[in-house]
Amino acid sequence: IPTSDDFIQLHGIVLGVAKRGCGKTCSLTNMLRLMKENNALDRLILVSPTYHNNKHYFKDLPLDEDNDILEPTFNVPAKIEKLMDDEAEEYDTYHKKMKKYKKLMKMLKDKNTPIYSIPPELLLEFGIEDFQPPKHKYNGKKPTICVFLDDCQGTDLFKNNSKLSNLAIKHRHLGKLKDGALGATLMLATQSYSSNSMGLNKAIRGNLTHMLVFRSKNSKELDQIADEVSGEVNKDEFLELHTEATKDSPHDFLFVDLHPKKTHPSRFRKNFNQFLIPKKINE
């Protein structure tokens, strides 16, 4: 998906982890706005038990309140797959019809093609008189879709036998097309990185592409995050970067990009816009 040089690669799995009140939902919806600015957000599917309390965060985002707000129930992964498959079918149907429409227009414009030789079903499909082209809500563009799981930790969706892990593993393959798939970005806001009861399991953590790590007093959790996502720096350097990113405000965060573009000077940032270079922090 084309995005500006300083923005992230998509599709991905993005996690915002912080205690209550640090601004996870606010920060992640701001990230959604950045995606929208990059023409990389056409549809938002929200899974949340608290939408009506947080409604203001989603202003101006492409969220259909009637169809795309879901409760975090056990079977919601299957519902999301169905929504994605329906979107893919609509996309494929449009392009199939557009191919036939172009064929019809070519035959109508060809002076050597008599009208009676045009298949009647082709004429009937697009109207006898006006021959209107097929319509698609994204004008034929393959839509970019984000599924946001907000404040769902501890619900049935996070139970061990739910299919959330499977959804995360195949997020790039959701919405099967005739050739390929639509894919979706998966976004999660949680209060803990992992827990013994209904937390983020290893399958999801192992597929993360981006993280927002807010200020935390839980040193064990920070150590675990450092072990699993630090990559190009050791644990001590990771913790220094985290301190640097979060020292000014509890609403600031260390942004970790596990799949940075070649144009990015670092995989670490303070919030979304300030790159942090590990060597400079150490100096």
Side-chain angles (χ1 to χ4, degrees), residues 82-138:
K82 178 67 165 57
L83 290 172
M84 293 294 300
D85 285 340
D86 288 347
E87 191 72 80
E89 183 179 3
E90 190 174 334
Y91 174 86
D92 273 343
T93 299
Y94 166 80
H95 283 282
K96 183 179 179 180
K97 287 184 176 180
M98 182 57 77
K99 187 176 180 180
K100 291 197 289 185
Y101 177 78
K102 289 179 178 179
K103 178 182 177 181
L104 173 62
M105 290 297 103
K106 184 178 180 180
M107 295 176 78
L108 287 172
K109 291 177 182 178
D110 186 355
K111 295 180 180 179
N112 296 318
T113 302
I115 191 72
Y116 58 79
S117 69
I118 300 176
E121 64 272 14
L122 201 57
L123 292 166
L124 289 170
E125 185 169 350
F126 298 103
I128 295 298
E129 296 180 356
D130 52 1
F131 299 113
Q132 288 297 311
K135 297 185 184 297
H136 182 244
K137 57 188 171 184
Y138 306 115

Side-chain angles (χ1 to χ4, degrees), residues 175-188:
K176 294 178 183 178
L177 298 169
K178 181 181 177 183
D179 298 306
L182 293 179
T185 290
L186 190 61
M187 193 174 280
L188 305 97

Side-chain angles (χ1 to χ4, degrees), residues 30-98:
N30 283 337
M31 185 174 181
L32 289 168
R33 288 183 177 85
L34 291 173
M35 289 171 62
K36 186 179 175 184
E37 288 176 10
N38 275 266
N39 296 315
L41 181 65
D42 296 305
R43 181 179 183 183
L44 175 61
I45 300 171
L46 175 66
V47 184
S48 175
T50 58
Y51 169 69
H52 292 289
N53 292 332
N54 295 327
K55 194 173 181 177
H56 55 286
Y57 289 125
F58 296 89
K59 185 180 179 182
D60 302 324
L61 291 173
L63 178 63
D64 182 346
E65 289 190 341
D66 294 327
N67 300 300
D68 289 343
I69 298 175
L70 308 174
E71 289 292 323
T73 57
F74 181 79
N75 63 344
V76 83
K79 291 181 179 179
I80 291 169
E81 287 196 47
K82 178 67 165 57
L83 290 172
M84 293 294 300
D85 285 340
D86 288 347
E87 191 72 80
E89 183 179 3
E90 190 174 334
Y91 174 86
D92 273 343
T93 299
Y94 166 80
H95 283 282
K96 183 179 179 180
K97 287 184 176 180
M98 182 57 77

Side-chain angles (χ1 to χ4, degrees), residues 250-281:
H251 302 295
D252 289 334
F253 52 87
L254 175 66
F255 184 69
V256 184
D257 187 344
L258 298 170
H259 296 275
K261 295 179 180 177
K262 293 180 179 179
T263 53
H264 296 172
S266 169
R267 66 175 60 196
F268 302 103
R269 310 186 198 194
K270 177 177 181 177
N271 302 326
F272 294 124
N273 57 351
Q274 182 183 339
F275 283 102
L276 297 177
I277 314 298
K279 289 183 179 179
K280 289 186 178 181
I281 296 296

